[in-house]
Amino acid sequence: MTVGVICEFNPFHNGHKYLLDKIKEKYPDSKIVAIMSGNFVQRGDVAVIDKFIRAKQALLNGFDLVVELPAVYAVSSAEIFAKSGVRIAEGLCCDVLAFGTENDIDDLREIATLYQNGDFKKLIKNELLSGKSYPQALNDTILMLTSNNSKIEQVLKGSNNILAIEYLKAISKTSIFPYAVKRKSVKHDSDITKDKFASASAIRELILNNSDEYYKFIPENTDKDEFLNTASIKNLELPLLYKLRTMTKEDFINLPDVSEGLENRILEAIQNYNSIKEIIKFIKTKRYTEARIRRILIYALFSISKEMQKADVPYIRVLGFNKNGEVILSNAGKKNLLPIISKVSQYKNILNCNEQKIFEKDLLASNIYTLAQSKISGCNKDFYNQIIKL
């Protein structure tokens, strides 16, 4: 039995350990793989600590294998993030996909099945044409198709629930079975802490403010020295401004999530404002959420195209494993559903030209990430950092 978890571990905390413990309780003989975002994450931000450190923390706390969700998909919408993670789970022959939720899985299944409703696409298109953001259009479309609106509306407010629904949609086309674990004590993005639990955003805030309080909310076996060189998106402001000011209207049109004239609003913002915060504030409207804009800026920084993000995940990149993880990789290798990259230097021998371009965005993301760290370090770490073996 192999269980997959699509994750960011930004950073790895007690809530993640709780999820892992529940998986082992449900599937005691299972092998568990983390499909983890690299150095940039889905909210259009940098990870607070390096991907190799986060992979090591996951392995030390009970995961058997950690592979990277490529940057092209890791910084995308919830739908693409989930679909891409599930494709990797398939490539690793996962039997189960486990994830956290705020509600029971039956509530989530009810919503996930609505996407197959014949009226769904037509209704959501009309909602988008009325000027609503995608999250709001999605929310209103689902409410139109359901009778118990108050309950459904409560479910849709949960950030973990939104991703969980996307996971259920993605695995419905596979043989993978879902296992949902309700979050313990605190909600996603909450600034409230309880017992030894806090949201990842609250922990990041403590870390970046140099408060030792964060240590209460992460596993005791975590080495504090691994948090000495943290990263912040604020450190990328000048490189990002430079990149934006060298781009043309056509360049912006080619980015994912840019449509219906949004490129004009972006260009106007770049011409009139001198900080990323001001640019985001100007572009943001009811239709264009801050999260969407932040992702677009990362697409711009990496030159990620619409075509690139539409492509299916073409490989599995290994970050670390133990003996059980080695078994997962061996079994997946025999099935040969996706090429497995364990030696970065060999990627050109394994991937075709278009696939190489996607992999090279991972390399670029790692190199740019070093500029976001509090202590700038050398680049090309993907080539000389060894796979973590426990």
Side-chain angles (χ1 to χ4, degrees), residues 313-376:
V313 178
Y315 56 84
I316 296 170
R317 163 78 189 282
V318 181
L319 296 179
F321 59 85
N322 59 20
K323 289 183 178 180
N324 282 336
E326 197 168 6
V327 173
I328 298 172
L329 290 171
S330 176
N331 291 338
K334 291 172 185 174
K335 292 288 183 71
N336 198 29
L337 298 174
L338 277 176
I340 297 171
I341 298 176
S342 53
K343 291 184 179 180
V344 174
S345 59
Q346 295 181 355
Y347 80 93
K348 289 187 177 180
N349 299 326
I350 297 171
L351 306 176
N352 65 37
C353 184
N354 288 331
E355 293 168 347
Q356 287 175 31
K357 290 177 182 178
I358 293 175
F359 188 81
E360 284 164 358
K361 297 304 178 186
D362 293 343
L363 305 180
L364 176 63
S366 290
N367 288 343
I368 291 176
Y369 182 78
T370 63
L371 301 176
Q373 292 178 299
S374 52
K375 296 177 183 177
I376 295 176

Coordinates of all heavy atoms in Angstrom, one line a residue, residues 313-376:
V313 N 2.4 16.9 -16.3 CA 3.7 16.7 -15.6 C 4.5 15.6 -16.4 O 4.0 14.5 -16.6 CB 3.5 16.3 -14.2 CG1 4.8 16.1 -13.5 CG2 2.7 17.3 -13.4
P314 N 5.7 16.0 -16.8 CA 6.4 15.0 -17.7 C 7.5 14.2 -16.9 O 8.1 13.3 -17.6 CB 7.1 15.9 -18.7 CG 7.4 17.2 -17.9 CD 6.3 17.3 -16.9
Y315 N 7.6 14.3 -15.6 CA 8.7 13.6 -14.9 C 8.5 13.6 -13.4 O 7.6 14.3 -12.9 CB 10.1 14.2 -15.2 CG 10.1 15.7 -14.8 CD1 10.4 16.1 -13.5 CD2 9.9 16.7 -15.8 CE1 10.4 17.4 -13.2 CE2 10.0 18.0 -15.5 CZ 10.2 18.4 -14.2 OH 10.2 19.7 -13.8
I316 N 9.2 12.8 -12.7 CA 9.2 12.7 -11.3 C 10.6 13.0 -10.8 O 11.6 12.3 -11.2 CB 8.8 11.3 -10.7 CG1 7.3 11.0 -11.1 CG2 9.0 11.3 -9.2 CD1 6.9 9.6 -10.9
R317 N 10.8 14.1 -10.0 CA 12.1 14.5 -9.5 C 12.2 14.1 -8.1 O 11.5 14.5 -7.2 CB 12.2 16.1 -9.7 CG 13.4 16.7 -8.8 CD 14.7 16.5 -9.4 NE 15.8 16.9 -8.5 CZ 16.1 18.2 -8.3 NH1 15.5 19.2 -8.9 NH2 17.1 18.4 -7.5
V318 N 13.2 13.3 -7.8 CA 13.4 12.8 -6.4 C 14.3 13.7 -5.6 O 15.3 14.2 -6.0 CB 14.1 11.4 -6.5 CG1 14.3 10.8 -5.1 CG2 13.3 10.4 -7.3
L319 N 13.8 14.1 -4.4 CA 14.5 14.9 -3.4 C 15.2 14.1 -2.3 O 16.2 14.4 -1.8 CB 13.7 16.0 -2.8 CG 13.1 17.0 -3.8 CD1 12.2 18.0 -3.1 CD2 14.3 17.8 -4.5
G320 N 14.5 13.0 -1.9 CA 15.0 12.2 -0.8 C 14.2 11.0 -0.5 O 13.0 10.9 -0.9
F321 N 14.8 9.9 0.1 CA 14.0 8.7 0.4 C 14.8 7.9 1.5 O 15.9 8.1 1.8 CB 13.9 7.9 -0.9 CG 15.2 7.5 -1.6 CD1 15.9 6.4 -1.2 CD2 15.7 8.2 -2.6 CE1 17.1 6.0 -1.8 CE2 16.9 7.9 -3.2 CZ 17.6 6.7 -2.8
N322 N 14.0 6.9 2.0 CA 14.6 5.9 2.9 C 14.5 4.6 2.2 O 14.2 4.5 1.0 CB 14.0 6.0 4.3 CG 12.5 5.7 4.3 OD1 11.9 5.1 3.3 ND2 11.8 6.1 5.3
K323 N 14.6 3.5 3.0 CA 14.6 2.2 2.3 C 13.2 1.9 1.8 O 13.1 1.3 0.7 CB 15.0 1.1 3.4 CG 16.4 1.1 3.7 CD 16.8 -0.1 4.6 CE 18.3 0.0 4.9 NZ 18.7 -1.1 5.9
N324 N 12.1 2.3 2.5 CA 10.8 2.1 1.9 C 10.6 2.9 0.7 O 9.9 2.5 -0.3 CB 9.7 2.5 3.0 CG 9.5 1.4 4.0 OD1 9.8 0.2 3.8 ND2 9.1 1.8 5.2
G325 N 11.1 4.1 0.7 CA 11.0 5.0 -0.5 C 11.7 4.4 -1.7 O 11.3 4.6 -2.8
E326 N 12.8 3.7 -1.4 CA 13.6 3.1 -2.5 C 12.7 2.0 -3.1 O 12.7 1.8 -4.4 CB 14.9 2.5 -1.9 CG 15.9 2.1 -3.0 CD 17.2 1.8 -2.3 OE1 17.3 1.7 -1.1 OE2 18.2 1.6 -3.1
V327 N 11.9 1.3 -2.3 CA 11.0 0.3 -2.9 C 9.9 1.0 -3.7 O 9.6 0.4 -4.8 CB 10.3 -0.5 -1.7 CG1 9.3 -1.4 -2.3 CG2 11.4 -1.3 -0.9
I328 N 9.4 2.1 -3.3 CA 8.4 2.8 -4.1 C 9.0 3.2 -5.4 O 8.3 3.0 -6.5 CB 7.9 4.1 -3.4 CG1 7.2 3.8 -2.0 CG2 6.9 4.9 -4.3 CD1 6.9 5.1 -1.2
L329 N 10.2 3.7 -5.5 CA 10.8 4.1 -6.7 C 11.1 2.9 -7.6 O 10.9 3.0 -8.8 CB 12.1 4.9 -6.4 CG 12.0 6.3 -5.8 CD1 13.3 6.8 -5.3 CD2 11.3 7.2 -6.7
S330 N 11.5 1.8 -7.0 CA 11.8 0.6 -7.8 C 10.5 0.1 -8.5 O 10.5 -0.2 -9.7 CB 12.4 -0.5 -6.9 OG 12.6 -1.7 -7.6
N331 N 9.4 0.1 -7.7 CA 8.1 -0.4 -8.3 C 7.6 0.5 -9.4 O 7.1 0.1 -10.4 CB 7.1 -0.5 -7.2 CG 7.4 -1.6 -6.2 OD1 8.1 -2.6 -6.5 ND2 6.9 -1.5 -5.0
A332 N 7.8 1.8 -9.1 CA 7.3 2.8 -10.1 C 8.2 2.7 -11.4 O 7.7 2.9 -12.5 CB 7.4 4.2 -9.5
G333 N 9.5 2.5 -11.2 CA 10.4 2.4 -12.3 C 10.1 1.2 -13.2 O 10.2 1.3 -14.4
K334 N 9.6 0.1 -12.6 CA 9.2 -1.1 -13.4 C 8.0 -0.8 -14.2 O 7.8 -1.3 -15.3 CB 8.9 -2.2 -12.5 CG 10.2 -2.8 -11.8 CD 9.8 -3.8 -10.7 CE 11.1 -4.3 -10.0 NZ 10.8 -5.2 -8.8
K335 N 7.0 0.0 -13.7 CA 5.8 0.4 -14.4 C 6.1 1.4 -15.5 O 5.4 1.5 -16.5 CB 4.8 0.9 -13.5 CG 4.2 -0.1 -12.5 CD 3.3 -1.1 -13.2 CE 2.7 -2.0 -12.2 NZ 1.6 -1.4 -11.3
N336 N 7.1 2.3 -15.3 CA 7.6 3.3 -16.2 C 6.5 4.2 -16.7 O 6.3 4.5 -17.9 CB 8.2 2.6 -17.4 CG 9.1 3.5 -18.3 OD1 9.6 4.5 -17.8 ND2 9.2 3.2 -19.5
L337 N 5.6 4.6 -15.8 CA 4.5 5.5 -16.1 C 5.0 7.0 -16.3 O 4.5 7.7 -17.1 CB 3.5 5.5 -15.0 CG 2.8 4.1 -14.8 CD1 1.9 4.2 -13.5 CD2 2.0 3.7 -16.0
L338 N 6.0 7.3 -15.6 CA 6.7 8.6 -15.8 C 8.2 8.5 -15.6 O 8.6 7.7 -14.7 CB 6.2 9.7 -14.7 CG 4.9 10.4 -15.0 CD1 4.5 11.3 -13.8 CD2 5.0 11.3 -16.3
P339 N 9.0 9.1 -16.3 CA 10.5 9.0 -16.1 C 10.8 9.6 -14.7 O 10.3 10.6 -14.3 CB 11.1 9.9 -17.2 CG 10.0 10.7 -17.7 CD 8.7 10.0 -17.5
I340 N 11.8 8.9 -14.1 CA 12.2 9.3 -12.7 C 13.6 10.0 -12.8 O 14.5 9.3 -13.3 CB 12.2 8.1 -11.8 CG1 10.8 7.6 -11.6 CG2 12.8 8.5 -10.4 CD1 10.7 6.3 -10.8
I341 N 13.7 11.2 -12.3 CA 15.0 11.9 -12.4 C 15.6 11.9 -11.0 O 15.1 12.5 -10.1 CB 14.8 13.3 -12.9 CG1 14.3 13.3 -14.3 CG2 16.2 14.1 -12.8 CD1 14.0 14.7 -14.9
S342 N 16.7 11.1 -10.8 CA 17.4 11.1 -9.6 C 18.8 11.8 -9.7 O 19.3 12.3 -8.7 CB 17.6 9.7 -9.1 OG 18.2 8.9 -10.1
K343 N 19.3 11.9 -10.9 CA 20.5 12.7 -11.2 C 20.2 13.8 -12.1 O 19.9 13.6 -13.3 CB 21.6 11.8 -11.8 CG 22.1 10.7 -10.9 CD 23.3 9.9 -11.5 CE 23.8 8.9 -10.6 NZ 24.9 8.1 -11.2
V344 N 20.3 15.0 -11.6 CA 19.9 16.2 -12.3 C 20.7 16.4 -13.6 O 20.2 16.8 -14.7 CB 20.0 17.5 -11.5 CG1 19.8 18.7 -12.3 CG2 19.1 17.4 -10.3
S345 N 22.0 16.0 -13.5 CA 22.9 16.2 -14.7 C 22.4 15.4 -15.9 O 22.9 15.6 -17.0 CB 24.3 15.8 -14.3 OG 24.3 14.5 -13.9
Q346 N 21.5 14.4 -15.7 CA 21.1 13.5 -16.8 C 19.8 13.9 -17.4 O 19.3 13.2 -18.2 CB 21.1 12.0 -16.3 CG 22.5 11.5 -15.9 CD 22.4 10.1 -15.4 OE1 21.3 9.5 -15.3 NE2 23.6 9.5 -15.2
Y347 N 19.2 15.0 -16.9 CA 17.8 15.3 -17.4 C 17.7 15.5 -18.9 O 16.7 15.1 -19.5 CB 17.3 16.6 -16.7 CG 17.7 17.9 -17.2 CD1 17.0 18.6 -18.1 CD2 18.9 18.5 -16.7 CE1 17.4 19.8 -18.6 CE2 19.3 19.8 -17.2 CZ 18.5 20.4 -18.2 OH 18.9 21.6 -18.6
K348 N 18.7 15.9 -19.6 CA 18.7 16.1 -21.0 C 18.7 14.8 -21.8 O 18.2 14.7 -22.9 CB 19.8 17.0 -21.5 CG 19.7 18.5 -21.1 CD 20.8 19.3 -21.7 CE 20.5 20.8 -21.4 NZ 21.6 21.7 -22.0
N349 N 19.2 13.8 -21.1 CA 19.2 12.4 -21.7 C 17.8 11.7 -21.5 O 17.5 10.7 -22.2 CB 20.3 11.6 -21.1 CG 21.6 12.1 -21.3 OD1 21.9 12.8 -22.4 ND2 22.5 12.0 -20.4
I350 N 17.0 12.2 -20.5 CA 15.8 11.6 -20.1 C 14.6 12.2 -20.8 O 13.6 11.6 -21.1 CB 15.7 11.6 -18.6 CG1 16.8 10.8 -18.0 CG2 14.3 11.0 -18.1 CD1 16.9 10.9 -16.5
L351 N 14.6 13.6 -20.9 CA 13.4 14.3 -21.3 C 13.6 14.9 -22.7 O 14.7 15.2 -23.2 CB 13.2 15.5 -20.4 CG 13.1 15.2 -18.9 CD1 13.0 16.5 -18.0 CD2 11.9 14.3 -18.6
N352 N 12.5 15.1 -23.4 CA 12.5 15.7 -24.7 C 12.6 17.2 -24.6 O 12.6 17.7 -23.5 CB 11.3 15.3 -25.6 CG 10.0 15.8 -25.0 OD1 9.9 16.9 -24.5 ND2 8.9 15.0 -25.2
C353 N 12.7 17.9 -25.7 CA 12.9 19.3 -25.7 C 11.9 20.1 -24.9 O 12.3 21.0 -24.0 CB 13.0 19.9 -27.1 SG 13.4 21.6 -27.3
N354 N 10.6 19.9 -25.1 CA 9.6 20.6 -24.3 C 9.6 20.3 -22.8 O 9.4 21.1 -22.0 CB 8.2 20.4 -24.9 CG 8.0 21.1 -26.2 OD1 8.6 22.1 -26.5 ND2 7.2 20.5 -27.1
E355 N 9.9 19.0 -22.5 CA 9.9 18.6 -21.1 C 11.2 19.2 -20.4 O 11.1 19.5 -19.3 CB 10.0 17.0 -21.1 CG 8.7 16.4 -21.6 CD 8.9 14.9 -21.8 OE1 10.0 14.4 -21.9 OE2 7.9 14.2 -22.0
Q356 N 12.2 19.3 -21.2 CA 13.4 19.9 -20.6 C 13.1 21.4 -20.2 O 13.6 21.8 -19.1 CB 14.6 19.9 -21.6 CG 15.2 18.6 -21.9 CD 16.2 18.6 -23.0 OE1 16.9 19.6 -23.2 NE2 16.4 17.5 -23.7
K357 N 12.4 22.1 -21.0 CA 12.0 23.5 -20.6 C 11.3 23.6 -19.3 O 11.5 24.5 -18.5 CB 11.2 24.1 -21.8 CG 12.0 24.3 -23.1 CD 11.1 24.9 -24.2 CE 11.9 25.1 -25.4 NZ 11.0 25.6 -26.5
I358 N 10.4 22.6 -19.0 CA 9.7 22.6 -17.8 C 10.6 22.3 -16.6 O 10.6 23.0 -15.6 CB 8.5 21.5 -17.8 CG1 7.5 22.0 -18.8 CG2 7.9 21.3 -16.4 CD1 6.3 21.0 -19.1
F359 N 11.5 21.3 -16.8 CA 12.5 21.0 -15.8 C 13.5 22.2 -15.5 O 13.8 22.4 -14.4 CB 13.3 19.8 -16.2 CG 14.2 19.3 -15.1 CD1 13.7 18.4 -14.1 CD2 15.6 19.6 -15.1 CE1 14.5 18.0 -13.1 CE2 16.4 19.1 -14.0 CZ 15.9 18.3 -13.1
E360 N 13.8 22.9 -16.6 CA 14.7 24.0 -16.4 C 14.1 25.2 -15.6 O 14.8 26.0 -15.1 CB 15.2 24.5 -17.8 CG 16.3 23.5 -18.3 CD 16.5 23.7 -19.8 OE1 15.8 24.5 -20.5 OE2 17.4 22.9 -20.4
K361 N 12.7 25.2 -15.5 CA 12.1 26.2 -14.7 C 12.3 25.8 -13.2 O 12.4 26.7 -12.3 CB 10.6 26.3 -15.0 CG 10.2 26.8 -16.3 CD 10.8 28.1 -16.7 CE 10.5 28.5 -18.1 NZ 11.2 29.8 -18.5
D362 N 12.4 24.5 -12.9 CA 12.8 24.1 -11.5 C 14.2 24.6 -11.2 O 14.5 25.1 -10.1 CB 12.8 22.6 -11.4 CG 11.4 22.0 -11.5 OD1 10.4 22.8 -11.4 OD2 11.3 20.8 -11.8
L363 N 15.1 24.5 -12.1 CA 16.5 24.9 -11.9 C 16.5 26.4 -11.7 O 17.2 27.0 -10.9 CB 17.4 24.5 -13.1 CG 17.4 23.0 -13.5 CD1 18.3 22.8 -14.6 CD2 17.8 22.2 -12.3
L364 N 15.8 27.2 -12.6 CA 15.7 28.6 -12.5 C 15.1 29.0 -11.2 O 15.6 30.0 -10.5 CB 14.9 29.2 -13.6 CG 14.6 30.7 -13.6 CD1 15.9 31.4 -13.8 CD2 13.6 31.1 -14.8
A365 N 14.0 28.4 -10.7 CA 13.4 28.7 -9.5 C 14.4 28.6 -8.3 O 14.4 29.4 -7.4 CB 12.2 27.8 -9.2
S366 N 15.2 27.5 -8.3 CA 16.2 27.3 -7.3 C 17.2 28.4 -7.3 O 17.7 28.9 -6.2 CB 16.9 26.0 -7.4 OG 16.0 24.9 -7.1
N367 N 17.7 28.8 -8.5 CA 18.7 29.9 -8.6 C 18.1 31.3 -8.1 O 18.8 32.0 -7.5 CB 19.2 30.0 -10.0 CG 20.1 28.8 -10.4 OD1 20.6 28.1 -9.5 ND2 20.3 28.6 -11.6
I368 N 16.9 31.6 -8.5 CA 16.3 32.8 -8.1 C 16.0 32.8 -6.6 O 16.2 33.8 -5.9 CB 15.0 33.1 -8.9 CG1 15.3 33.4 -10.3 CG2 14.2 34.2 -8.2 CD1 14.1 33.5 -11.2
Y369 N 15.7 31.6 -6.0 CA 15.4 31.5 -4.6 C 16.6 31.9 -3.7 O 16.4 32.5 -2.7 CB 15.0 30.0 -4.3 CG 14.7 29.8 -2.9 CD1 13.4 30.1 -2.4 CD2 15.6 29.2 -2.0 CE1 13.0 29.9 -1.1 CE2 15.2 29.0 -0.7 CZ 14.0 29.3 -0.2 OH 13.6 29.1 1.1
T370 N 17.8 31.7 -4.2 CA 19.0 32.1 -3.4 C 19.0 33.6 -3.2 O 19.6 34.0 -2.2 CB 20.3 31.6 -4.1 OG1 20.4 32.3 -5.3 CG2 20.3 30.1 -4.3
L371 N 18.4 34.3 -4.1 CA 18.4 35.8 -3.9 C 17.3 36.2 -2.9 O 17.4 37.3 -2.4 CB 18.0 36.5 -5.3 CG 19.0 36.2 -6.4 CD1 18.5 36.8 -7.7 CD2 20.4 36.7 -6.1
A372 N 16.3 35.3 -2.6 CA 15.3 35.6 -1.7 C 15.7 35.3 -0.2 O 15.1 35.7 0.7 CB 14.0 34.9 -2.0
Q373 N 16.8 34.6 -0.1 CA 17.3 34.2 1.2 C 17.9 35.4 2.0 O 18.4 36.3 1.4 CB 18.2 33.0 1.1 CG 17.6 31.7 0.7 CD 18.6 30.6 0.5 OE1 19.5 30.7 -0.3 NE2 18.3 29.5 1.3
S374 N 17.9 35.3 3.3 CA 18.4 36.4 4.1 C 19.9 36.5 3.9 O 20.5 37.6 4.0 CB 18.1 36.2 5.6 OG 18.5 34.9 6.0
K375 N 20.6 35.4 3.6 CA 22.0 35.3 3.2 C 22.1 34.8 1.8 O 21.9 33.6 1.7 CB 22.8 34.5 4.2 CG 22.8 35.0 5.6 CD 23.6 34.1 6.6 CE 23.5 34.6 8.0 NZ 24.2 33.6 8.9
I376 N 22.4 35.6 0.9 CA 22.4 35.2 -0.5 C 23.5 34.1 -0.7 O 24.6 34.3 -0.2 CB 22.7 36.3 -1.5 CG1 21.5 37.3 -1.5 CG2 22.9 35.8 -2.9 CD1 21.7 38.6 -2.3

